[in-house]
Amino acid sequence: DKYYASGFPQMQNSNVLHVTCDKSDRIWVLTAGGNVALLDEKRQMRRLGLYTNRNFLKTRWILNSLNNGIILFTEKGFYRYTDKEMPEKGDSITITSFEFLPIIGFDTLLTKQYRQVFYYDEDRYLLVNEKEIYKINFRNNQVEQRFQIPNCTALAKWGKQSLLFYDRVSKEVEVYDFSTGITRFP
């Protein structure tokens, strides 16, 4: 099946940025403009109407954590999806289906611009900006580590403790070892 905003207005936009599937077989879709839609178990498309103080809450990325399930990384922080079953009526899911998820050590990092949100393992994600990478642990809800890796584009997890990345300045592919802080060529 093909899904476009013209046929499914709940998507708000046909420019799909990210898709993930949760444990209940629901498909979460992030589209341009920070909009989120959900294809539920019955394959009904639902819009997420996330508003705080009457202001639309843009989603930056959809995280899928083993410990916390679906987490929306928004411009105001992290929100964990809490409802187990979809409401029978209506096509919109509101902020009442989510709870704010405080992340220890993240309050000063919220306003930074992130180039990438990169899956690291079942409960960890890397948030990549121009100068640093932050490893967020959603098992204990805290910033686990910070790494100074400027001009990085994350490519793949490399072994147990390393990241394969592209250096946009040197135009080379390198490996960063999180345990030692050493950068080397693969």
Side-chain angles (χ1 to χ4, degrees):
D1 290 335
K2 294 180 182 180
Y3 295 90
Y4 297 99
S6 58
F8 297 91
Q10 300 90 336
M11 292 175 58
Q12 303 286 305
N13 193 307
S14 293
N15 186 4
V16 175
L17 303 176
H18 179 65
V19 176
T20 191
C21 184
D22 68 15
K23 292 177 188 176
S24 298
D25 251 358
R26 296 176 288 222
I27 299 171
W28 297 77
V29 180
L30 175 64
T31 62
N35 298 293
V36 178
L38 173 68
L39 195 59
D40 70 15
E41 302 93 328
K42 297 175 184 175
R43 295 305 177 235
Q44 298 296 310
M45 185 70 73
R46 295 172 182 261
R47 177 181 178 272
L48 271 68
L50 302 180
Y51 290 86
T52 58
N53 301 325
R54 298 182 187 211
N55 294 316
F56 176 64
L57 187 61
K58 290 182 181 180
T59 298
R60 294 175 171 184
W61 205 251
I62 304 169
L63 311 175
N64 198 348
S65 162
L66 180 68
N67 191 51
N68 282 305
I70 293 295
I71 301 168
L72 301 183
F73 174 30
T74 74
E75 58 190 3
K76 299 288 184 188
F78 297 94
Y79 287 83
R80 176 175 54 190
Y81 183 68
T82 57
D83 283 352
K84 301 296 181 222
E85 294 188 26
M86 292 286 122
E88 286 296 319
K89 294 189 177 196
D91 69 347
S92 186
I93 298 168
T94 66
I95 195 112
T96 60
S97 295
F98 292 83
E99 71 179 2
F100 182 74
L101 184 62
I103 302 297
I104 299 166
F106 194 75
D107 53 340
T108 59
L109 305 177
L110 182 60
T111 59
K112 292 185 181 280
Q113 296 295 317
Y114 295 97
R115 294 180 52 81
Q116 289 179 280
V117 177
F118 186 83
Y119 172 86
Y120 186 75
D121 66 25
E122 59 192 19
D123 273 317
R124 292 183 185 97
Y125 279 81
L126 303 177
L127 277 58
V128 182
N129 71 19
E130 277 302 314
K131 298 177 183 177
E132 296 177 300
I133 294 179
Y134 305 96
K135 189 189 292 184
I136 311 292
N137 185 330
F138 288 100
R139 182 176 305 264
N140 57 16
N141 300 329
Q142 69 179 8
V143 176
E144 189 172 272
Q145 291 176 292
R146 287 177 149 174
F147 309 97
Q148 297 283 326
I149 311 174
N151 308 304
C152 167
T153 298
L155 299 174
K157 187 174 175 185
W158 195 259
K160 290 184 179 183
Q161 287 291 321
S162 298
L163 176 71
L164 184 70
F165 72 95
Y166 176 73
D167 185 318
R168 292 185 311 280
V169 171
S170 69
K171 299 185 188 247
E172 296 176 316
V173 174
E174 300 176 51
V175 175
Y176 182 83
D177 187 316
F178 291 119
S179 60
T180 64
I182 295 173
T183 302
R184 61 179 170 80
F185 292 105

